[in-house]
Amino acid sequence: MGRLSGYVRAGVVHPEETPLLREAVTLLFGGAPEAEATRWLTSKGMLTPRGNEFRREVLHRLLTNPRLAGLDENGEPIEGWDERVLEPDVFRRLQELFTERSEKRGQPRDAYEYLLTGGCALCGECAVGMIGSRVHAEAPPSYKCDGCGKTRINAEKLEDFLAEHVLAELLKPGARERLEKLECDIEAEIVRLKDHIAGADERFAGIGDLYGRGLMVKAAFAAAQKASQDDLRTSKLRLKYLEQMTDLPIGDVHDLVAWWRTAPYASKRGLILLEVEHVRVGRVEGSQAPEKRVLIDWRQPAA
């Protein structure tokens, strides 16, 4: 068996490596991730017994080896092991820390309910819809352009900014009447879309009939089928989108701010979609503040 880092030989600590390993453990107890402790050891010039730089998994394997504390596989002191890199109680505390961190990593993060996906939030750079995203697992939720990828904004900041403006609009005189007109427009479009979707089979059959009678070449038939399929898919998505905007209990709500704080996700999203056509998010230009980057396209009732 090769030499264990921190020891010259079994039970005799290495005078240079041991203080560095103890300091690395202190960093871990202070909240540093293993990757940071690994980089710190490398910065101090410490190498593995084989002369390689430490990697995170190599350091983890070393720090979970009970021989580092002069213990056998059962956690019992090894006879004749006079010196230890880590005292047994420190080693046990370290294993508890690793277990705790592992459990936290294993817990899925609560899913974040994005209010402005589905085409409401648009990238100001390329006008493509923004999607919910996180920069990494521990990062806060954000919106990212699904096209050019150049635009990103903190989700909570954007949604709080928009909610503030939507509620302010609803507190203006005549806002409830305008909202009712918007709902009527949406309901009329829903009826039209349902009729359009219901007629899809007939349209597909018509295309097939033309092709079967030799009135359409194969390439045109394939293109017409694809266009009809795309149209059907878009219509279904649009219908689902519009149906979220109806049956909102706003008419009976007197304190809109209090309602917003406790309203379910579907109601909040429905209200925003009813009031707002698009939210256009610009790229960062010296400020992360939404008021410097966001333009709201308000939905207007049909004349």
Side-chain angles (χ1 to χ4, degrees), residues 187-199:
E187 288 167 358
E189 188 175 352
I190 286 174
V191 171
R192 289 194 298 272
L193 277 173
K194 285 182 175 179
D195 289 342
H196 182 68
I197 291 169

Side-chain angles (χ1 to χ4, degrees), residues 258-296:
W259 173 83
W260 180 267
R261 288 173 182 154
T262 59
Y265 162 81
S267 295
K268 288 181 177 180
R269 179 173 168 83
L271 179 58
I272 285 177
L273 295 180
L274 186 57
E275 277 278 56
V276 175
E277 185 76 36
H278 295 117
V279 182
R280 302 180 187 275
V281 182
R283 292 176 64 188
V284 178
E285 293 183 3
S287 174
Q288 291 281 0
E291 55 267 24
K292 301 285 188 180
R293 304 177 56 192
V294 176
L295 292 176
I296 301 173

Side-chain angles (χ1 to χ4, degrees), residues 6-277:
Y7 289 96
V8 175
R9 59 181 182 275
V12 179
V13 298
H14 194 292
E16 296 174 357
E17 294 178 355
T18 293
L20 293 176
L21 288 172
R22 288 171 178 168
E23 183 61 30
V25 169
T26 299
L27 290 173
L28 293 173
F29 282 137
E34 289 173 68
E36 183 178 327
T38 304
R39 287 193 296 271
W40 183 84
L41 283 175
T42 300
S43 73
K44 296 300 180 181
M46 183 170 173
L47 302 174
T48 70
R50 293 186 177 182
N52 300 316
E53 288 188 356
F54 272 91
R55 291 179 287 115
R56 190 201 65 79
E57 57 270 26
V58 173
L59 179 62
H60 181 83
R61 190 160 56 243
L62 170 65
L63 296 181
T64 55
N65 188 331
R67 290 200 303 145
L68 205 63
L71 304 173
D72 62 20
E73 295 299 326
N74 297 316
E76 298 296 328
I78 299 174
E79 187 176 349
W81 206 277
D82 298 325
E83 299 175 329
R84 307 175 183 87
V85 174
L86 298 180
E87 291 303 313
D89 63 323
V90 174
F91 178 78
R92 294 187 185 100
R93 282 175 50 216
L94 184 60
Q95 306 319 300
E96 291 173 0
L97 175 65
F98 287 148
T99 299
E100 180 183 331
R101 290 185 176 183
S102 177
E103 289 174 349
K104 285 183 178 179
R105 284 195 297 270
Q107 294 174 350
R109 295 196 61 158
D110 293 336
Y112 185 83
E113 293 184 312
Y114 293 90
L115 291 174
L116 309 176
T117 52
C120 183
L122 300 180
C123 171
E125 189 79 8
C126 67
V128 171
M130 303 185 76
I131 58 173
S133 170
R134 295 181 191 266
V135 177
H136 54 78
E138 301 303 317
S142 61
Y143 288 93
K144 182 190 77 170
C145 174
D146 199 29
C148 68
K150 297 177 181 178
T151 305
R152 183 184 290 274
I153 190 169
N154 179 280
E156 291 183 346
K157 288 183 179 179
L158 176 59
E159 291 170 4
D160 288 347
F161 170 81
L162 187 59
E164 180 182 334
H165 283 73
V166 166
L167 295 177
E169 284 293 311
L170 288 172
L171 292 173
K172 293 180 179 179
R176 303 301 172 89
E177 292 78 6
R178 183 174 58 83
L179 213 58
E180 289 176 2
K181 291 179 181 178
L182 285 171
E183 283 193 317
C184 288
D185 294 343
I186 297 300
E187 288 167 358
E189 188 175 352
I190 286 174
V191 171
R192 289 194 298 272
L193 277 173
K194 285 182 175 179
D195 289 342
H196 182 68
I197 291 169
D201 288 342
E202 185 177 342
R203 291 194 297 278
F204 280 117
I207 295 170
D209 180 60
L210 289 173
Y211 179 64
R213 291 160 55 192
L215 300 176
M216 182 180 287
V217 297
K218 186 175 182 180
F221 170 67
Q225 270 200 324
K226 184 180 184 305
S228 295
Q229 289 167 351
D230 290 345
D231 172 69
L232 180 60
R233 182 167 53 252
T234 301
S235 296
K236 286 181 176 179
L237 288 173
R238 177 69 176 166
L239 177 62
K240 182 180 179 181
Y241 181 78
L242 294 175
E243 285 179 334
Q244 297 177 63
M245 307 180 200
T246 59
D247 298 325
L248 293 173
I250 302 302
D252 299 326
V253 176
H254 299 289
D255 188 345
L256 278 170
V257 176
W259 173 83
W260 180 267
R261 288 173 182 154
T262 59
Y265 162 81
S267 295
K268 288 181 177 180
R269 179 173 168 83
L271 179 58
I272 285 177
L273 295 180
L274 186 57
E275 277 278 56
V276 175
E277 185 76 36

